[in-house]
Amino acid sequence: THTHTHMFDDVVPDVSVLGLVLLAVVAAAAHFKRWLTVDGLLVAVPVGFSVLLPGLDIAGMLFSFFVSSSIITKIAARISARAGNNRSHAYAEDDAKRGRNCWQVAATGGVPALLCVLRNVPGMAHIWRPAYLAYVACSAGDTWASEIGQLAKTTPRLITTWKPVPAGRDGGVTLVGTLASIGGGAAVGIFGGTWQERWLGMLYGGIGSVIDSVMGAVLQDPMTMQLSRWKALNILVNLGSSVLTAALAVAVQSSLVAQATLAVVLAAITFRLAVSK
């Protein structure tokens, strides 16, 4: 009699009917509301199925990010249009009108889907869930910060120099945007199984947005590069910041002191933005 098991034995499509219905509803809404392009939808369906494998709580994190970020992107575009403001970049305008394409979906959902599929591989048991939570929280925090932050009335500060910069400049931060990033993380963390996960969702939404801003300030300057290059680099920066946030979460998962230190850093940045004129 064979008693051993294979590493992928537990990765079985034991997906509830409710989960499949949820996936179908979100996919239909995404198509109807133009949250996704056609190629984006084709990538989103297998991603959605993959994150359903561990359970509805895990799927809820990614679905919450996608639905909330899509709605916020549309609303922010309408507010900007009514106010007569130009969107920070033609790319953001394209997102609001056409929806996210396959590359953007792959960048935000590919790693979470892979973590779910490989969750039972030896060595992944204590890694995949904190990495997943942090990755998705970072993606949500960054999107909320970008869309809501550019509606702020205050002048953004470049995170690397703290000098005033035009609204929409990559690397620019505002108090409203920073608080929004924490809110985006909270929208993901609320599906966590413990209060600690819910709190960590807020933390990694904020910290992930800070990491993204630093990378954007260093690598992206829309005034000095072509739009096509900026588009590609923006996807890579979003991917890189989420990966770094996930790695950070894994590194500090067993240390409350380290997590508290990250919270202090985020609070210090938020406070400085609050007192900046």
Side-chain angles (χ1 to χ4, degrees), residues 239-258:
L239 175 63
S241 61
S242 296
V243 168
L244 286 175
T245 304
L248 182 63
V250 171
V252 304
Q253 64 173 316
S254 300
S255 175
L256 290 176
V257 173

PDB file of all heavy atoms in Angstrom, residues 239-258:
ATOM      1  N   LEU A 239       4.504  45.695 -10.209  1.00  0.00           N
ATOM      2  CA  LEU A 239       4.848  44.305  -9.920  1.00  0.00           C
ATOM      3  C   LEU A 239       5.975  44.234  -8.896  1.00  0.00           C
ATOM      4  O   LEU A 239       5.905  43.483  -7.918  1.00  0.00           O
ATOM      5  CB  LEU A 239       5.264  43.593 -11.205  1.00  0.00           C
ATOM      6  CG  LEU A 239       5.784  42.157 -11.075  1.00  0.00           C
ATOM      7  CD1 LEU A 239       4.693  41.244 -10.537  1.00  0.00           C
ATOM      8  CD2 LEU A 239       6.287  41.645 -12.427  1.00  0.00           C
ATOM      9  N   GLY A 240       7.019  45.047  -9.109  1.00  0.00           N
ATOM     10  CA  GLY A 240       8.166  45.026  -8.212  1.00  0.00           C
ATOM     11  C   GLY A 240       7.830  45.453  -6.801  1.00  0.00           C
ATOM     12  O   GLY A 240       8.290  44.834  -5.824  1.00  0.00           O
ATOM     13  N   SER A 241       7.023  46.494  -6.657  1.00  0.00           N
ATOM     14  CA  SER A 241       6.667  46.967  -5.324  1.00  0.00           C
ATOM     15  C   SER A 241       5.816  45.935  -4.587  1.00  0.00           C
ATOM     16  O   SER A 241       5.983  45.737  -3.374  1.00  0.00           O
ATOM     17  CB  SER A 241       5.914  48.308  -5.406  1.00  0.00           C
ATOM     18  OG  SER A 241       4.705  48.174  -6.138  1.00  0.00           O
ATOM     19  N   SER A 242       4.933  45.247  -5.314  1.00  0.00           N
ATOM     20  CA  SER A 242       4.103  44.221  -4.679  1.00  0.00           C
ATOM     21  C   SER A 242       4.945  43.019  -4.254  1.00  0.00           C
ATOM     22  O   SER A 242       4.735  42.455  -3.173  1.00  0.00           O
ATOM     23  CB  SER A 242       2.996  43.774  -5.641  1.00  0.00           C
ATOM     24  OG  SER A 242       2.112  44.837  -5.930  1.00  0.00           O
ATOM     25  N   VAL A 243       5.898  42.620  -5.093  1.00  0.00           N
ATOM     26  CA  VAL A 243       6.787  41.510  -4.755  1.00  0.00           C
ATOM     27  C   VAL A 243       7.632  41.860  -3.534  1.00  0.00           C
ATOM     28  O   VAL A 243       7.799  41.039  -2.615  1.00  0.00           O
ATOM     29  CB  VAL A 243       7.687  41.145  -5.945  1.00  0.00           C
ATOM     30  CG1 VAL A 243       8.804  40.191  -5.518  1.00  0.00           C
ATOM     31  CG2 VAL A 243       6.865  40.507  -7.063  1.00  0.00           C
ATOM     32  N   LEU A 244       8.161  43.086  -3.500  1.00  0.00           N
ATOM     33  CA  LEU A 244       8.966  43.514  -2.356  1.00  0.00           C
ATOM     34  C   LEU A 244       8.137  43.557  -1.074  1.00  0.00           C
ATOM     35  O   LEU A 244       8.610  43.168  -0.002  1.00  0.00           O
ATOM     36  CB  LEU A 244       9.582  44.889  -2.633  1.00  0.00           C
ATOM     37  CG  LEU A 244      10.738  44.926  -3.629  1.00  0.00           C
ATOM     38  CD1 LEU A 244      11.156  46.371  -3.902  1.00  0.00           C
ATOM     39  CD2 LEU A 244      11.922  44.117  -3.107  1.00  0.00           C
ATOM     40  N   THR A 245       6.906  44.013  -1.186  1.00  0.00           N
ATOM     41  CA  THR A 245       6.025  44.053  -0.016  1.00  0.00           C
ATOM     42  C   THR A 245       5.719  42.646   0.479  1.00  0.00           C
ATOM     43  O   THR A 245       5.708  42.390   1.688  1.00  0.00           O
ATOM     44  CB  THR A 245       4.718  44.792  -0.356  1.00  0.00           C
ATOM     45  OG1 THR A 245       5.021  46.099  -0.846  1.00  0.00           O
ATOM     46  CG2 THR A 245       3.833  44.929   0.877  1.00  0.00           C
ATOM     47  N   ALA A 246       5.487  41.729  -0.451  1.00  0.00           N
ATOM     48  CA  ALA A 246       5.229  40.329  -0.081  1.00  0.00           C
ATOM     49  C   ALA A 246       6.446  39.718   0.601  1.00  0.00           C
ATOM     50  O   ALA A 246       6.322  39.010   1.610  1.00  0.00           O
ATOM     51  CB  ALA A 246       4.854  39.526  -1.323  1.00  0.00           C
ATOM     52  N   ALA A 247       7.635  39.986   0.054  1.00  0.00           N
ATOM     53  CA  ALA A 247       8.866  39.469   0.655  1.00  0.00           C
ATOM     54  C   ALA A 247       9.081  40.054   2.045  1.00  0.00           C
ATOM     55  O   ALA A 247       9.509  39.352   2.976  1.00  0.00           O
ATOM     56  CB  ALA A 247      10.057  39.790  -0.247  1.00  0.00           C
ATOM     57  N   LEU A 248       8.775  41.328   2.195  1.00  0.00           N
ATOM     58  CA  LEU A 248       8.892  41.984   3.494  1.00  0.00           C
ATOM     59  C   LEU A 248       7.946  41.352   4.503  1.00  0.00           C
ATOM     60  O   LEU A 248       8.313  41.114   5.666  1.00  0.00           O
ATOM     61  CB  LEU A 248       8.600  43.484   3.346  1.00  0.00           C
ATOM     62  CG  LEU A 248       8.719  44.348   4.598  1.00  0.00           C
ATOM     63  CD1 LEU A 248      10.157  44.345   5.110  1.00  0.00           C
ATOM     64  CD2 LEU A 248       8.272  45.777   4.288  1.00  0.00           C
ATOM     65  N   ALA A 249       6.733  41.057   4.072  1.00  0.00           N
ATOM     66  CA  ALA A 249       5.747  40.442   4.962  1.00  0.00           C
ATOM     67  C   ALA A 249       6.211  39.078   5.443  1.00  0.00           C
ATOM     68  O   ALA A 249       6.034  38.724   6.617  1.00  0.00           O
ATOM     69  CB  ALA A 249       4.406  40.321   4.239  1.00  0.00           C
ATOM     70  N   VAL A 250       6.795  38.307   4.545  1.00  0.00           N
ATOM     71  CA  VAL A 250       7.308  36.985   4.924  1.00  0.00           C
ATOM     72  C   VAL A 250       8.451  37.132   5.917  1.00  0.00           C
ATOM     73  O   VAL A 250       8.559  36.387   6.899  1.00  0.00           O
ATOM     74  CB  VAL A 250       7.770  36.206   3.678  1.00  0.00           C
ATOM     75  CG1 VAL A 250       8.506  34.929   4.080  1.00  0.00           C
ATOM     76  CG2 VAL A 250       6.575  35.873   2.792  1.00  0.00           C
ATOM     77  N   ALA A 251       9.309  38.128   5.691  1.00  0.00           N
ATOM     78  CA  ALA A 251      10.481  38.327   6.547  1.00  0.00           C
ATOM     79  C   ALA A 251      10.108  38.716   7.974  1.00  0.00           C
ATOM     80  O   ALA A 251      10.799  38.341   8.921  1.00  0.00           O
ATOM     81  CB  ALA A 251      11.397  39.383   5.934  1.00  0.00           C
ATOM     82  N   VAL A 252       9.010  39.471   8.129  1.00  0.00           N
ATOM     83  CA  VAL A 252       8.658  39.981   9.460  1.00  0.00           C
ATOM     84  C   VAL A 252       7.450  39.270  10.067  1.00  0.00           C
ATOM     85  O   VAL A 252       6.957  39.689  11.121  1.00  0.00           O
ATOM     86  CB  VAL A 252       8.374  41.510   9.413  1.00  0.00           C
ATOM     87  CG1 VAL A 252       9.551  42.265   8.825  1.00  0.00           C
ATOM     88  CG2 VAL A 252       7.100  41.818   8.612  1.00  0.00           C
ATOM     89  N   GLN A 253       6.994  38.186   9.442  1.00  0.00           N
ATOM     90  CA  GLN A 253       5.748  37.567   9.889  1.00  0.00           C
ATOM     91  C   GLN A 253       5.809  37.050  11.324  1.00  0.00           C
ATOM     92  O   GLN A 253       4.783  36.970  12.000  1.00  0.00           O
ATOM     93  CB  GLN A 253       5.358  36.417   8.956  1.00  0.00           C
ATOM     94  CG  GLN A 253       6.302  35.251   8.930  1.00  0.00           C
ATOM     95  CD  GLN A 253       5.769  34.086   8.113  1.00  0.00           C
ATOM     96  OE1 GLN A 253       4.597  33.724   8.217  1.00  0.00           O
ATOM     97  NE2 GLN A 253       6.609  33.505   7.269  1.00  0.00           N
ATOM     98  N   SER A 254       6.991  36.695  11.806  1.00  0.00           N
ATOM     99  CA  SER A 254       7.117  36.150  13.164  1.00  0.00           C
ATOM    100  C   SER A 254       7.571  37.182  14.177  1.00  0.00           C
ATOM    101  O   SER A 254       7.819  36.841  15.339  1.00  0.00           O
ATOM    102  CB  SER A 254       8.097  34.970  13.157  1.00  0.00           C
ATOM    103  OG  SER A 254       7.646  33.943  12.300  1.00  0.00           O
ATOM    104  N   SER A 255       7.694  38.436  13.772  1.00  0.00           N
ATOM    105  CA  SER A 255       8.205  39.476  14.663  1.00  0.00           C
ATOM    106  C   SER A 255       7.215  40.627  14.797  1.00  0.00           C
ATOM    107  O   SER A 255       7.075  41.441  13.880  1.00  0.00           O
ATOM    108  CB  SER A 255       9.550  40.003  14.141  1.00  0.00           C
ATOM    109  OG  SER A 255      10.006  41.080  14.920  1.00  0.00           O
ATOM    110  N   LEU A 256       6.555  40.690  15.936  1.00  0.00           N
ATOM    111  CA  LEU A 256       5.657  41.812  16.195  1.00  0.00           C
ATOM    112  C   LEU A 256       6.418  43.123  16.283  1.00  0.00           C
ATOM    113  O   LEU A 256       5.895  44.187  15.932  1.00  0.00           O
ATOM    114  CB  LEU A 256       4.871  41.562  17.489  1.00  0.00           C
ATOM    115  CG  LEU A 256       3.808  40.447  17.430  1.00  0.00           C
ATOM    116  CD1 LEU A 256       3.178  40.262  18.814  1.00  0.00           C
ATOM    117  CD2 LEU A 256       2.738  40.783  16.401  1.00  0.00           C
ATOM    118  N   VAL A 257       7.656  43.059  16.749  1.00  0.00           N
ATOM    119  CA  VAL A 257       8.490  44.271  16.850  1.00  0.00           C
ATOM    120  C   VAL A 257       8.757  44.842  15.459  1.00  0.00           C
ATOM    121  O   VAL A 257       8.648  46.054  15.228  1.00  0.00           O
ATOM    122  CB  VAL A 257       9.817  43.962  17.566  1.00  0.00           C
ATOM    123  CG1 VAL A 257      10.736  45.180  17.514  1.00  0.00           C
ATOM    124  CG2 VAL A 257       9.565  43.553  19.008  1.00  0.00           C
ATOM    125  N   ALA A 258       9.102  43.962  14.516  1.00  0.00           N
ATOM    126  CA  ALA A 258       9.370  44.412  13.152  1.00  0.00           C
ATOM    127  C   ALA A 258       8.102  44.978  12.509  1.00  0.00           C
ATOM    128  O   ALA A 258       8.144  46.002  11.810  1.00  0.00           O
ATOM    129  CB  ALA A 258       9.913  43.257  12.317  1.00  0.00           C
TER     130      ALA A 258
END
